[in-house]
Each structure stands twice: as structure tokens, then as C-alpha cells.
Amino acid sequence: MSTDDKRFYITTPIYYVNDKPHLGHAYTTVVSDFLARWHRGDGFATYFLTGTDEHGEKIWEAAQAAGVDAQTFTDQISHRFRDAWQRLGVQIDDYIRTTEDRHKSVVSAFWQQLHDGGDIYKAEYEGLYSIGQERFVTEKELVDGKLPIDSDPPVHRKEENYFFRMEKYRPWLIEHIESHPDFIHPAGFRNEVLAILREPIGDLSISRPRDRVPWGIPIPWDKDHVTYVWSDALLNYISALGYPDGDLYGQFWPGVWHMIGKDILRQHAVFWPTMLHAAGVPVFERLLVGGYLSGDDGRKMSKSFGNVLDPFELAETFGEDPVRYYLLRELPYGNDGGVGTTGLAKRYNADLANDLGNLLSRARKLILGGLKGVLAAPVQTDADRELIAAGEGLLAAMRAQVRAVRIDSALEEALQFVRALNRYFDSEEPWKLARDPSGAKRLGTVLYNVVEGLRIVATLLEPAMPAKCQAIRTALALPDSDFLSTQSWGGTQVDTEVPKKAEQLFPRAQAAPAESAAAPKEEAVGESDGTISIDEFAKVQFRVAEVTAAELVPKTDRLLKLTLQVGDEERTVVSGIAEHYQPEDLVGRRLVVVANLAPAKLRGIESRGMILAAEDDDGKLAVVELPEGFTSGAVVR
Ligand code: MSP
């Protein structure tokens, strides 16, 4: 990508169609989609390509095993990948399949050119071949007789192949990598490639005999051979643009970011640039190498290990945007990391349900209750400056992280701003302003600022969660806004009327007891009509409790620590009612406590029981109370 003319081309690996899409594939695709959407939002002419890799031995064997002809087989699986990306809200510009004519003609012309230029020769090859990785391997790479990534050992092969004089370009490639520090990212992978290049890399076998592997693109000067799958697949990145003279090629090549997993580093960092250079084509701008997602057994998530998570199922359970958010937020790009539904539920509850979702619903309640649903003109004070500066600076802060491919940190910047909005909300106590006739002006300002902050968040988190950010705008009646509009506070219209009803955006997910059972449902209900039996009800013990002491839990604005006398027992209960009661107002009152609730630790305090309170749609809250004269400890039925 060139920063001066703001063009951005981004690609994923094209996926083999011998496997159905799993979360590992989804990871690279979602990261790429995020980067494409981000750059599009940030004013770049953007082109996002993905697709499927459909030739070669592995696919041929998989089709045979499925008992269908190879084209029918590849058609089916290619569609599954496309459907998965649609299900995950991935917005692509083009979907390339290597069995398309537009691709095959580029592959033929490309190798013909190299052949004509003297860079191709024929020779006998003898060695060990990994069918899993579709490449020859050396003894040195094997652990216990096989590649660690493979489930089967390599096979012995002896055959005639055409070779590309790759070794000849090794000095050039070393020089190119050394003089372009951003060419391979992160740096650890750059060093790995430089280490590979310290020793001869040999020449690259680019063909297979047709009688052994019939499923490939014919070598144009010798129809008894077909292209080796990698000498076919890598060219997708330019065939899709209409190389050599298509408009898109002229517009977008070579300013491309290739997103790949580390399993295909050598092919992209060694084969691909030498191929391009030999053909006189400028090499790609950046190779961005991601780590592995591992399954619950700690190994790379892959079909052969049987530890894959299904992106369709996860999207059904959690919604596509939380899945996207989790993949983007959880691991620094380039690192390996374990993923699962427990982690997803945890991340979802912390960032989305608690921080973002609660803020939105608290703000909406007060706008509807305290401002009759219509935003008022703000009168900013010194107390608002810090928040405004943070909001106006968010784009620049996130942009710096995104350009450095620290997507997790970019999202964390946005979440830190959401947390600042929550702190602002809590410290301004708008629920009190709403009860005080002289607080109307300040109430209007505080709520305006919270909505404006949410507008900025919904704009800049859109590349991560497109549908949810749209839903935030709907819940606040905000128009679409562009990235640049976030740099000046005040994009929200003053007379905006907030809709009375809105969907609950991020209902809490149940912490997954098993990897699959998490569900972000609102509240669990017993039977389908929500009733419970008398026996079930009888299990709950309600008792009268007298408040003997109350204090704010340090560093929170919503939690009160209550000391309760329940009969002759004293107990502590932490309750989220601080926005509605001053601690001293509660002392001496007789409340109703759920007495046999399992203890829970809140902010380090063991809370034993729960106070009953009523809350209406306007955010008004009142504790359930008994008149004087009731002794503490009395049972409530
Ligand atoms: N067809 C080749 C790529 C050709 S590109 C010109 C291929 N396909 S693949 O279906 O095996 O997909 C590989 C890519 O899927 C990886 O490079 C990575 O981007 C992604 N992933 C597959 N499993 C993954 C994990 N468990 N973790 C992270 N990414 C993974 O190789």
C-alpha cells in the first residue's frame, strides 16, 4: 500500500478445498476483513481478495474419496468457504478460484514467460514428499519420521519435474529483505526467512507428471505435465487483478498486504518474491504472518488433529460480531494462542456486555426518562475536556496501532475510551441530575457527551463489528458517520430523538460449562412459558435484614457494601445500588435479602446474599422495604 496515494490491496491465502472452513481459516479472513474495512473507512481505495485453491494431489484424492468428480467436489467446498465468510460478515471485493479460466490463462502465460527467459529446466527429482504440505521435505525437518504439522509421514518420490532457477535469485532476495524492514512482519518471521536464506535454497520444482496428478493446469510447453499446486496458487494474487494489463492490476499492484499463517511462510517469503522478480514484476509490499489458533488440546487447530471449532456454530451461538471481536482482540497478530467458547464468553461479557452494552442501555434509559428522549444542546465545562480530548484522539491512536498491525491494541484503545465514558457517566451521576430540577442543563450535557462518545466508538469499531455498530446507531438514532468526523466532538445532532425501544445489544453470555454450551441469552427461564414450580420457588429463602452499616466500595461508583443483621447473624452483601442511595440513607432500614444464595466475591469482598429492589424502564430503582416493627431475620414468603 502506498500512503501517498491511499490505495490498499489485501489478500488472504486461498484455502484448500479438501477441508471445510474452520475457525483457523476464519481467523486470517476476519483479520483481513478488519484491515480492509479499516482502510476503506480511513479513506483508502481498497480491494480485498480471498478465494479457494482447488488443484493438486490433496484435492484430487479428497474428491476421489468423496466419490465425485474433482470439479463438482471443488464447487461444493468452495461455496462453503464463501458462505462461511458471508456468515461472519466478511465483505470481499473478489473471490478467486484457481479452476477459473481467468486464473489458468495467467498461470500458463507466466510460466511460459519464465521458460522463454531461460529460468526453467527439466530434471529428475528424488526425495521425500509431504502430501499434507504439498512439497518436498528434507530429513532435517522431520520429527519422528514426519513433519510435526502433518498426520502422515512423507512418501518417497522419484520423477521428472520442471524446475525454476530459484537459487539464482537468493542474493537478490536477501538484499531486498534487508533493505525493506517492513517486508516481512512480525520481525521474528523476517529473521526466520533470513536464516533460511543463509544456506542454498535450491531450485523450485514447478510441475508434476500428469499421469500421476491429473488435476492441475497443463504446463504450456509440455502437456504431459501440470503445474505444481504452489506454482499455480501464488499467482492468484495477480490473476484476480487481471495481470498483466487489467485496470485493477494497474491500480492496486504492488501495494499489497498478503495475510498468511506461519505454515505457509516459506512459500510466500521465498517462492513468491523470486517468481515475481524473475518475471520482472515488482514484488508485493508486505507479508504479514499470523500465528496458529490452537484447539482445546493445545495443538494447531486443523482437521487432521480433529480439534476444530466451526465458525457457523459459533456465529449461531454468540452472533457473528462477538466472534469477530474475539478473534481480533484476543491474540496479538503473529502470536499463537488458544481459543474456545469459554474464552469467548469471558471476553464477550467483559468488553461487550459490561463495558459497552451496559453503557448504551444506561444512557438510553436516562435519555428516555430524564430528557423525554430528545438530546439537548451541551454546555461543555472543564469537567468534560478530558473526555472530549480522548474521543477526538481515538482515530489517531487506533490508526497508529492498525498500521503497525497491532489490531488487538487498536481495539483496546477503543475499549479504554468506552471505560472512560463509563467513568465519566458514573462520576457525573446523571441519575441524580435527573431527579433534581436544577440539574437539567448538566444532565443534557452529560448525556449528549455520552452519546457523542458512543457515536465515535460505533464508527471506529465498525471494521470489527459492522452489524453491532449499526445497531448502536439505530438505538441512538445516529446517522452513519465517517472516520474523519470522529476527530471533532459534536457530530451528534442536538435534537436527536432516541427510539423508545431498542434490542438489547449484548445480553450476557453464560460462562460456558463445556466448550459449546455458551449462549448469550437474556435470562434462563424454567419452562418455555417462564413458570417455575412451587417446589422450585420454595428453595429460595427470603428474609428480613436490617442494614447496620453501609459504605461505597472503593474505586467503584455503583457498588455499596452493606452490613446486614439477619436474625442473630451478621453478614455482608455487595449491592449495585450506589447510583440510587447514599450509604447513610440505608442504615436502619429493613430490606429483603435472598438468604441462601451461594456466596460470590465482588471486588475482593465476599457477598452473601442479594437485596431485592425494583427497577423501572426509566432507570428508577427502589429497594423492597418493610415498615418499622418487623424484626430482622423474619422469613418472607
Ligand atoms: N492453499 C494454501 C494457501 C495458498 S495461498 C496462495 C493453504 N491453504 S489452507 O487451507 O491450508 O489454509 C492455510 C491458511 O489458513 C493458513 O496460512 C492460515 O492463514 C489459515 N489457518 C488454517 N489453520 C489455522 C490455524 N489453526 N490458526 C491460524 N490460522 C490458520 O495453505
Side-chain angles (χ1 to χ4, degrees):
M1 181 208 52
S2 347
T3 26
D4 42 349
D5 59 5
K6 299 201 90 174
R7 276 181 255 180
F8 184 71
Y9 174 34
I10 183 159
T11 64
T12 72
I14 48 171
Y15 301 103
Y16 284 132
V17 290
N18 63 333
D19 196 357
K20 55 180 193 181
H22 61 65
L23 202 66
H25 305 120
Y27 178 58
T28 312
T29 312
V30 166
V31 168
S32 306
D33 184 54
F34 171 86
L35 288 169
R37 286 176 180 269
W38 176 274
H39 283 88
R40 204 174 286 122
D42 207 15
F44 287 75
T46 298
Y47 203 73
F48 175 23
L49 175 73
T50 187
T52 41
D53 189 354
E54 307 188 0
H55 289 125
E57 239 173 302
K58 267 205 290 196
I59 315 290
W60 177 250
E61 284 178 0
Q64 301 238 303
V68 282
D69 69 276
Q71 191 62 56
T72 311
F73 180 78
T74 57
D75 286 350
Q76 283 167 357
I77 306 220
S78 182
H79 276 109
R80 273 163 97 158
F81 274 91
R82 228 187 149 130
D83 292 347
W85 307 152
Q86 199 172 14
R87 181 68 188 86
L88 290 174
V90 172
Q91 191 180 41
I92 56 174
D93 292 302
D94 194 5
Y95 191 79
I96 182 94
R97 299 183 53 191
T98 54
T99 48
E100 288 176 272
D101 287 341
R102 61 170 175 153
H103 174 73
K104 292 196 257 187
S105 59
V106 169
V107 173
S108 300
F110 184 91
W111 289 112
Q112 183 70 55
Q113 185 198 333
L114 262 57
H115 181 253
D116 296 348
D119 266 342
I120 306 290
Y121 64 93
K122 196 175 185 180
E124 176 134 299
Y125 197 98
E126 182 165 9
L128 292 171
Y129 190 79
S130 152
I131 298 181
Q133 303 312 306
E134 292 273 24
R135 66 177 178 90
F136 284 99
V137 296
T138 59
E139 291 279 0
K140 270 199 297 195
E141 292 179 89
L142 307 181
V143 180
D144 295 334
K146 65 178 191 64
L147 286 181
I149 198 174
D150 278 347
S151 42
D152 297 314
V155 293
H156 181 259
R157 282 275 158 84
K158 182 175 171 184
E159 63 192 24
E160 286 217 302
N161 286 177
Y162 283 98
F163 285 84
F164 159 53
R165 297 186 193 282
M166 185 165 74
E167 169 63 19
K168 173 174 142 189
Y169 296 104
R170 184 163 64 99
W172 164 80
L173 183 56
I174 295 172
E175 206 283 314
H176 186 83
I177 297 174
E178 283 177 342
S179 58
H180 294 81
D182 290 338
F183 186 57
I184 302 171
H185 176 94
F189 293 111
R190 177 173 184 267
N191 296 336
E192 200 175 311
V193 174
L194 284 170
I196 293 175
L197 293 174
R198 253 178 245 131
E199 297 191 13
I201 49 174
D203 291 339
L204 177 67
S205 153
I206 61 151
S207 70
R208 297 290 178 265
R210 186 184 203 132
D211 54 8
R212 189 170 63 72
V213 188
W215 188 236
I217 302 172
I219 291 288
W221 62 88
D222 183 346
K223 304 282 183 232
D224 289 338
H225 293 259
V226 295
T227 45
Y228 160 54
V229 59
W230 279 100
S231 50
D232 157 357
L234 288 162
L235 289 161
N236 88 89
Y237 301 131
I238 55 175
S239 70
L241 297 182
Y243 169 84
D245 44 24
D247 289 346
L248 289 168
Y249 179 74
Q251 194 184 352
F252 288 107
W253 193 264
V256 58
W257 286 16
H258 288 314
M259 312 300 296
I260 60 161
K262 65 179 179 181
D263 48 345
I264 52 178
L265 175 63
R266 179 190 278 261
Q267 291 89 333
H268 281 81
V270 180
F271 302 179
W272 183 221
T274 50
M275 279 166 60
L276 288 167
H277 187 65
V281 178
V283 293
F284 54 87
E285 187 178 292
R286 298 191 80 183
L287 185 64
L288 300 163
V289 189
Y292 290 155
L293 300 192
S294 48
D296 50 11
D297 56 356
R299 295 196 292 178
K300 180 194 176 197
M301 191 178 285
S302 80
K303 187 175 86 167
S304 36
F305 296 141
N307 59 356
V308 297
L309 285 173
D310 179 344
F312 288 102
E313 275 174 27
L314 286 181
E316 259 344 281
T317 311
F318 291 92
E320 75 268 20
D321 279 357
V323 176
R324 291 171 61 101
Y325 179 81
Y326 175 62
L327 291 176
L328 294 165
R329 173 67 190 83
E330 203 61 19
L331 320 177
Y333 190 73
N335 289 17
D336 295 345
V339 288
T341 49
T342 311
L344 206 171
K346 219 165 138 189
R347 171 68 68 188
Y348 170 93
N349 282 337
D351 290 6
L352 303 180
N354 286 359
D355 290 344
L356 184 54
N358 269 350
L359 178 68
L360 175 70
S361 67
R362 288 203 292 161
R364 271 182 45 82
K365 269 185 188 167
L366 278 177
I367 295 167
L368 292 170
L371 298 180
K372 301 204 165 46
V374 184
L375 287 184
V379 183
Q380 309 293 6
T381 67
D382 280 348
D384 308 310
R385 304 267 173 252
E386 198 185 327
L387 181 80
I388 294 176
E392 289 179 337
L394 186 59
L395 171 61
M398 287 180 74
R399 183 191 280 142
Q401 302 288 11
V402 173
R403 300 284 303 155
V405 207
R406 288 191 291 258
I407 299 168
D408 59 320
S409 308
L411 298 185
E412 181 55 22
E413 294 280 353
L415 260 289
Q416 274 179 20
F417 178 61
V418 171
R419 285 178 214 121
L421 282 166
N422 273 303
R423 283 196 300 276
Y424 173 82
F425 192 96
D426 291 345
S427 70
E428 292 295 330
E429 305 186 310
W431 57 93
K432 283 191 188 157
L433 297 169
R435 292 200 294 266
D436 172 2
S438 69
K441 201 160 84 185
R442 186 66 193 150
L443 177 68
T445 302
V446 170
L447 292 176
Y448 179 89
N449 285 340
V450 172
V451 172
E452 174 65 356
L454 283 168
R455 179 187 75 85
I456 291 175
V457 169
T459 307
L460 297 179
L461 278 184
E462 175 128 28
M465 296 190 289
K468 290 291 182 191
C469 287
Q470 182 54 50
I472 293 176
R473 281 196 289 277
T474 306
L476 295 171
L478 295 169
D480 288 353
S481 24
D482 60 31
F483 276 21
L484 294 184
S485 78
T486 64
Q487 289 179 303
S488 38
W489 199 260
T492 298
Q493 289 288 320
V494 159
D495 50 4
T496 294
E497 191 172 346
V498 166
K500 293 219 163 38
K501 292 259 168 277
E503 63 170 306
Q504 193 188 352
L505 270 193
F506 298 107
R508 280 186 72 79
Q510 313 296 321
E515 294 288 284
S516 74
K521 302 221 178 66
E522 270 190 59
E523 261 135 45
V525 285
E527 304 297 327
S528 53
D529 62 355
T531 57
I532 56 170
S533 68
I534 289 186
D535 286 350
E536 281 173 288
F537 177 68
K539 288 187 192 152
V540 187
Q541 293 171 16
F542 298 104
R543 316 236 344 239
V544 176
E546 183 170 341
V547 182
T548 54
E551 60 180 287
L552 196 65
V553 176
K555 297 206 197 98
T556 71
D557 302 294
R558 301 180 62 205
L559 299 181
L560 286 184
K561 177 181 164 193
L562 306 175
T563 309
L564 303 178
Q565 195 65 40
V566 186
D568 30 325
E569 181 200 359
E570 183 172 88
R571 56 164 88 194
T572 302
V573 167
V574 176
S575 181
I577 55 174
E579 289 170 3
H580 306 271
Y581 290 96
Q582 293 299 329
E584 57 276 14
D585 290 349
L586 287 168
V587 177
R589 296 202 195 183
R590 277 155 303 276
L591 314 180
V592 178
V593 66
V594 179
N596 61 339
L597 199 67
K601 260 220 161 112
L602 290 164
R603 304 283 170 138
I605 303 167
E606 187 173 76
S607 176
R608 296 183 51 236
M610 196 191 250
I611 293 299
L612 294 194
E615 190 176 14
D616 71 8
D617 276 351
D618 297 341
K620 264 203 294 303
L621 180 145
V623 290
V624 175
E625 247 183 296
L626 289 139
E628 251 175 88
F630 267 90
T631 34
S632 82
V635 173
V636 181
R637 289 190 208 285

